[in-house]
């Protein structure tokens, strides 16, 4: 295994090549010094061969001066020693939309010509035998001791299998989403028919229908390529925008929570909003709601706080009995998030506050 990062090896390799070139010009250069530089070059090139990715290097003018053997194994043709950044088009590859990747779009060109510090691009590369595979190209500059750019290097990574697995995953997730929607439709039908036979009031049937719809919608939003976590702002907007009609403002940083918590929060947002429509700030023309969230810290770790504050509506009165909505916005959410909920029934309106520990991705998996 290499003992130095690839970018450091690339820098040293360029230095040694320049040194050897200078020795060849200077006929009086001591043979031993030239020999040592030659040995160092051989050693560095050998190290480059142990790197499990393709490595290509270019000098300050963009001429490709080196490529390890892994490159040739991947692309199935010899390393092309393109003369400058305008000649990279001889490396034939395509974007996802089928258009040809142009010379100036390759990371080597962008690092050398545009002086970008880090460039990544995924391309559908055409091998020497005519077949294609997906490859990720990552480019960074090579700097000398004074921090000046003396060239650029790229790592070539075969991501063909990664893309195939992602496509298969997307197909499975789409199928799962389809089946979940069908399951919710069946559940709604069973519940609706059962309640109709029991002569339950129409308003109650509609409420149950709406809650099932909200749950189905929330679940559908969370089933996707990143369904293990979801952004609070996106979850809240999906639920609240159709209900609030612009009277519910959302403020807070970009924060993600595990999908199970996001699902529970979406149901809580739905219950809070519908309650505000019936009895709270949204039941009058001038009433508004602000949902905000913020991150904090405590001795036991990071915290996430959410605040639902209603203003401009009637005074909030504590109900004599608690129903399903109170359960969803209270005990059920506390159990799912491990948090603590405080409610305020005040003359200015209803307030709901949740303080919960913020889970890391590793904790969510556990």
């Amino acid at each position: 295994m290499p003992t130095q990062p690839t970018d450091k090896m690339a820098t040293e390799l360029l230095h040694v090549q320049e040194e050897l070139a200078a020795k060849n010009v200077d006929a009086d250069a001591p043979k031993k010094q030239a020999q040592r530089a030659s040995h160092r070059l051989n050693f560095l090139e050998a190290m480059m061969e142990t790197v499990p990715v393709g490595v290509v290097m270019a000098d300050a003018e963009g001429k490709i001066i080196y490529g390890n053997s892994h490159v040739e194994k991947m692309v199935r043709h010899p390393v092309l020693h393109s003369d400058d950044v305008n000649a990279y088009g001889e490396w034939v590859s395509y974007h996802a939309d089928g258009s040809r990747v142009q010379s100036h779009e390759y990371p080597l060109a962008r690092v050398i010509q545009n002086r970008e510090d880090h460039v990544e691009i995924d391309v559908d590369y055409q091998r020497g035998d005519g077949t294609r595979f997906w490859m990720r190209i990552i480019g960074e500059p090579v700097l000398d001791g004074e921090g000046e750019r003396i060239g650029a290097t790229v790592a070539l990574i075969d991501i063909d299998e990664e893309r195939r697995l992602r496509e298969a995953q997307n197909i499975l997730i789409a199928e799962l989403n389809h089946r979940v929607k069908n399951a919710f439709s069946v559940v709604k039908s069973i519940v609706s028919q059962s309640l109709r036979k029991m002569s339950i009031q129409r308003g109650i049937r509609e409420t149950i229908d709406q809650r099932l719809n909200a749950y189905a919608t929330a679940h559908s939003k969370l089933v996707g390529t990143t369904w293990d976590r979801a952004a609070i702002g996106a979850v809240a907007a999906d639920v609240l925008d159709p209900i609030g009609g612009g009277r519910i403002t959302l403020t807070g940083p970009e924060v993600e929570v595990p999908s199970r918590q996001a699902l529970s929060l979406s149901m809580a947002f739905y219950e809070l909003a519908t309650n505000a429509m019936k009895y709270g700030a949204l039941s009058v023309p001038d009433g508004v709601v602000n949902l905000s969230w913020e991150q904090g810290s405590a001795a036991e770790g990071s915290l996430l706080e959410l605040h639902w504050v209603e203003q401009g509506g009637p005074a909030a009165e504590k109900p004599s009995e608690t129903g399903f909505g109170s359960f969803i916005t209270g005990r059920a959410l506390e159990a799912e998030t491990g948090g603590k909920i405080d409610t305020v029934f005040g003359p200015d309106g209803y307030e709901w506050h949740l303080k919960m520990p913020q889970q890391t991705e590793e904790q969510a998996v556990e």
Side-chain angles (χ1 to χ4, degrees):
M1 293 298 292
T3 58
Q4 303 178 55
T6 305
D7 58 346
K8 289 185 178 180
M9 288 194 289
T11 302
E12 191 166 353
L13 191 56
L14 274 177
H15 283 157
V16 175
Q17 287 180 331
E18 288 178 346
E19 185 181 327
L20 279 175
K23 300 302 181 190
N24 290 334
V25 173
D26 184 2
D28 298 327
K31 286 186 178 180
K32 287 186 178 180
Q33 190 176 356
Q35 241 179 7
R36 282 197 299 270
S38 179
H39 289 164
R40 211 164 98 223
L41 178 61
N42 291 337
F43 178 72
L44 287 169
E45 287 182 343
M47 291 178 67
M48 282 291 186
E49 292 302 314
T50 67
V51 178
V53 296
V55 177
V56 173
M57 297 169 56
D59 62 19
E61 283 69 46
K63 179 176 175 55
I64 292 178
I65 59 174
Y66 174 80
N68 66 0
S69 61
H70 200 75
V71 174
E72 298 188 357
K73 291 177 184 176
M74 292 171 64
V75 301
R76 299 177 187 173
H77 63 68
V79 173
L80 304 175
H81 295 276
S82 308
D83 288 334
D84 52 41
V85 295
N86 297 316
Y88 295 157
E90 59 187 345
W91 298 75
V92 181
S93 62
Y94 300 86
H95 294 291
D97 63 5
S99 61
R100 178 84 173 263
V101 178
Q102 301 300 311
S103 290
H104 68 274
E105 296 180 285
Y106 282 104
L108 274 180
R110 291 170 60 183
V111 171
I112 293 170
Q113 208 166 36
N114 304 344
R115 303 191 68 77
E116 296 182 45
D117 291 326
H118 181 88
V119 183
E120 290 190 24
I121 184 175
D122 291 353
V123 301
D124 189 12
Y125 192 84
Q126 184 169 302
R127 296 185 178 104
D129 59 7
T131 61
R132 290 190 188 182
F133 78 112
W134 279 94
M135 177 171 69
R136 178 166 297 142
I137 309 174
I138 305 172
E140 291 193 359
V142 176
L143 310 176
D144 63 14
E146 285 72 45
E148 294 295 322
R149 296 187 183 218
I150 58 174
T153 182
V154 292
L156 312 181
I157 304 169
D158 186 337
I159 59 168
D160 217 37
E161 184 65 19
E162 175 188 322
R163 287 185 68 98
R164 278 198 295 269
L165 290 173
R166 190 188 307 159
E167 288 172 4
Q169 182 188 45
N170 289 340
I171 292 172
L172 290 173
I173 288 173
E175 178 62 22
L176 171 63
N177 195 19
H178 176 70
R179 293 191 181 192
V180 168
K181 285 180 178 178
N182 287 345
F184 275 120
S185 297
V186 171
V187 169
K188 281 181 59 182
S189 177
I190 292 172
V191 171
S192 179
Q193 290 180 29
S194 299
L195 294 178
R196 194 176 295 115
K197 290 178 181 178
M198 295 170 63
S199 301
I200 301 296
Q201 293 179 4
R202 181 178 179 83
I204 296 176
R205 293 206 307 269
E206 289 178 348
T207 298
I208 294 174
D209 244 11
Q210 290 170 354
R211 281 173 170 155
L212 285 172
N213 279 335
Y215 190 81
T217 300
H219 192 281
S220 177
K221 292 288 184 183
L222 291 171
V223 176
T225 54
T226 57
W227 69 290
D228 56 326
R229 297 183 74 79
I232 288 180
V235 171
D238 286 335
V239 175
L240 301 176
D241 286 352
I243 299 174
R247 291 199 288 158
I248 304 176
T249 60
L250 309 177
T251 54
E254 184 71 20
V255 179
E256 291 188 340
V257 294
S259 59
R260 284 176 52 184
Q261 292 184 355
L263 190 59
S264 297
L265 284 171
S266 69
M267 291 302 298
F269 295 153
Y270 173 79
E271 294 297 334
L272 289 167
T274 53
N275 189 70
M277 288 286 291
K278 292 177 183 177
Y279 316 110
L282 300 182
S283 66
V284 297
D286 297 328
V288 294
V289 178
N290 180 47
L291 172 63
S292 61
W293 57 94
E294 59 194 29
Q295 293 172 295
S297 59
E300 59 272 16
S302 299
L303 294 176
L304 185 60
E305 296 184 35
L306 291 89
H307 311 282
W308 174 277
V309 180
E310 300 183 19
Q311 296 175 322
E317 297 182 4
K318 189 173 184 177
S320 56
E321 295 182 359
T322 58
F324 178 76
S326 297
F327 172 73
I328 290 295
T329 60
R331 283 184 295 144
L333 192 57
E334 286 181 332
E336 185 59 59
T337 63
K340 174 67 177 172
I341 292 172
D342 291 313
T343 55
V344 177
F345 297 88
D348 297 325
Y350 177 72
E351 295 183 18
W352 174 92
H353 305 276
L354 167 64
K355 183 181 290 187
M356 56 182 276
Q358 188 173 1
Q359 288 189 3
T360 62
E361 293 188 26
E362 291 77 10
Q363 290 171 326
V365 171
E366 292 173 1

